């Protein structure tokens, strides 16, 4: 029954009670640290909402993608097709690392990118920076295939890393160009265990009044061997301490840190004063056996939502 075209107050109240009863459950996954000073990363939890709200969820806007289906890595340079003009990313190798398009493995279609360390160590990296100069809050999704649980052979006292994705940053005067955060893999009894690493030794961070190397761990997190998996990172860029870094594997959040720095200060390209670069990598100071290979497919950068 309506009164003057309106629902009675008792009906409205009952409807509100029903909505409250349908509250959404959520789970929070935290990263922890192997160092006491980073034992409370200060990140905001990530809520996994139920599927009843999927129809009203905002669809992320895709800003860039690469599926290698033209048999090349040209999409990584877009809007150019090579390292000329106003290119927005590309291939960067060091120490004998190699990048190529490959039809040996594919997550979809017939082609992927192949990142190879031919002699145990080096760097094979695929970068993007154009989107990070246009948008502050971004999500990067990429499918990866690691055919073997490679052993890390670098000097444990001065390295031993395996960097598979990173957030890099340059200073405004270009005197520093460093990884700030990266996802590291270790081999523990034949299983690949991801870690979230804050790399800088002297830059204040990741949180205010902190400094020095940090390594965040999650005891239950694993990266599959011999199967495609989706690695997702989200970053809210910051040269101060209001940034966010989140990492997910196959849709499960394994690290989430907030109120952190993600970059050096540089006002050359954007109003938030960072010069942030993202890359997917096969980058290590020693992997065995050689050659060590990673395949990458269906890479996407989206405007972050939520």
């Amino acid at each position: 029954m309506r009164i003057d075209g309106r629902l009675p107050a008792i009906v409205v109240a009952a409807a509100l009670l029903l909505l409250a009863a349908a509250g959404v459950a959520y789970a929070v996954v935290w990263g922890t640290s192997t160092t006491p000073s980073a034992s409370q990363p200060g990140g905001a939890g990530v809520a996994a909402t139920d599927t009843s709200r999927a129809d009203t969820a905002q669809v992320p806007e895709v800003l860039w993608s690469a599926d290698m289906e033209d048999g090349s890595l040209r999409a990584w340079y877009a809007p150019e097709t090579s390292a000329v003009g106003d290119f927005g990313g590309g291939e960067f190798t060091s120490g004998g690392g190699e990048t190529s398009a490959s039809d040996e493995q594919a997550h979809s279609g017939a082609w992927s990118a192949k990142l190879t360390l031919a002699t145990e160590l080096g760097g094979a990296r695929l970068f993007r920076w154009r989107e990070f100069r246009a948008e502050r809050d971004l999500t990067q999704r990429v499918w990866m295939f690691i055919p073997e649980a490679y052993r890390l052979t670098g000097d444990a006292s001065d390295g031993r890393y395996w960097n598979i994705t990173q957030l890099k940053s340059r200073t405004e005067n270009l005197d520093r160009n460093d990884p700030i955060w990266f996802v590291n893999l270790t081999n523990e009894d034949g299983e690949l265990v991801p870690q979230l690493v804050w790399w800088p030794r002297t830059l204040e961070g990741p949180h205010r009044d902190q400094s020095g190397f940090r390594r965040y761990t999650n005891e239950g997190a694993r990266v599959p061997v011999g199967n495609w998996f989706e690695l997702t990172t989200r970053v809210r860029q910051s040269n101060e301490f209001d940034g966010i870094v989140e990492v997910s594997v196959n849709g499960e959040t394994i690290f989430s840190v907030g109120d952190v720095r993600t970059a050096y200060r540089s006002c050359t390209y954007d109003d938030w004063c960072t010069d942030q670069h993202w890359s997917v990598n096969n980058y290590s100071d020693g992997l065995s056996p050689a050659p060590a290979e990673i395949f990458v497919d269906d890479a996407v950068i989206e405007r972050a939502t939520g």
Side-chain angles (χ1 to χ4, degrees), residues 122-135:
R125 301 174 289 269
L126 297 173
F127 269 93
R128 289 298 298 174
W129 55 76
R130 185 180 180 87
E131 293 72 30
F132 293 81
R133 294 171 179 174
E135 298 286 340

Side-chain angles (χ1 to χ4, degrees), residues 5-251:
R6 294 171 292 176
L7 289 172
I10 189 170
V11 175
V12 174
L16 291 174
L17 286 172
L18 287 173
L19 289 172
V24 178
Y26 61 90
V28 176
V29 183
W30 291 96
T32 58
S33 172
T34 57
T35 58
S37 58
S39 60
Q40 295 180 352
V46 178
T49 57
D50 68 12
T51 55
S52 66
R53 295 190 178 182
D55 56 341
T56 61
Q58 184 178 353
V59 177
E61 180 182 352
V62 174
L63 304 176
W64 168 88
S65 64
D67 61 13
M68 280 60 72
E69 286 307 300
D70 64 354
S72 81
L73 301 180
R74 287 195 291 266
W76 290 88
Y77 294 90
E80 305 291 347
T81 58
S82 63
V84 297
D86 183 26
F87 63 105
E91 305 163 76
F92 290 82
T93 61
S94 60
E98 302 171 2
T99 58
S100 62
S102 172
D103 59 1
E104 298 172 49
Q105 295 283 348
H107 171 252
S108 66
W111 290 84
S112 67
K114 182 179 179 181
L115 311 180
T116 304
L117 301 185
T119 58
E120 293 198 17
L121 55 82
R125 301 174 289 269
L126 297 173
F127 269 93
R128 289 298 298 174
W129 55 76
R130 185 180 180 87
E131 293 72 30
F132 293 81
R133 294 171 179 174
E135 298 286 340
R136 185 178 182 184
D137 202 341
L138 294 167
T139 298
Q140 305 84 49
R141 306 181 188 277
V142 63
W143 286 87
M144 305 185 78
F145 183 94
I146 302 176
E148 186 170 343
Y150 299 107
R151 301 188 313 276
L152 281 72
T153 61
D155 184 351
S157 66
D158 187 31
R160 189 169 286 184
Y161 62 89
W162 186 8
N163 175 339
I164 62 169
T165 188
Q166 65 183 344
L167 293 166
K168 204 168 185 181
S169 177
R170 298 191 303 185
T171 53
E172 196 156 21
N173 63 8
L174 305 182
D175 65 334
R176 299 300 302 265
N177 183 16
D178 298 319
I180 306 298
W181 292 94
F182 68 87
V183 175
N184 188 61
L185 292 185
T186 65
N187 186 321
E188 297 183 11
D189 299 322
E191 293 187 311
L192 297 183
V193 179
Q195 302 170 336
L196 179 62
V197 173
W198 162 268
W199 184 86
R201 269 60 171 180
T202 58
L203 180 68
E204 184 184 1
H207 300 98
R208 193 179 301 277
D209 299 324
Q210 291 182 339
S211 65
F213 183 87
R214 298 286 192 280
R215 190 189 305 269
Y216 295 86
T217 62
N218 181 327
E219 293 182 359
R222 296 292 184 271
V223 165
V225 177
N227 286 295
W228 285 96
F229 64 93
E230 186 182 39
L231 179 66
T232 303
T233 53
R234 181 244 175 133
V235 58
R236 174 181 168 82
Q237 302 170 67
S238 173
N239 67 68
E240 295 182 340
F241 301 101
D242 58 349
I244 296 171
V245 177
E246 296 172 353
V247 180
S248 301
V249 173
N250 288 336

Side-chain angles (χ1 to χ4, degrees), residues 285-302:
D285 58 354
L287 294 179
S288 180
E293 301 168 341
I294 289 180
F295 296 88
V296 173
D297 203 358
D298 296 327
V300 173
I301 297 177
E302 303 168 338

Side-chain angles (χ1 to χ4, degrees), residues 132 136 169-170 172 237-240 262-276:
F132 293 81
R136 185 178 182 184
S169 177
R170 298 191 303 185
E172 196 156 21
Q237 302 170 67
S238 173
N239 67 68
E240 295 182 340
T262 74
Y264 294 121
R265 179 176 176 82
S266 174
C267 299
T268 304
Y269 298 104
D270 47 58
D271 294 339
W272 46 94
C273 290
T274 67
D275 185 5
Q276 194 94 68

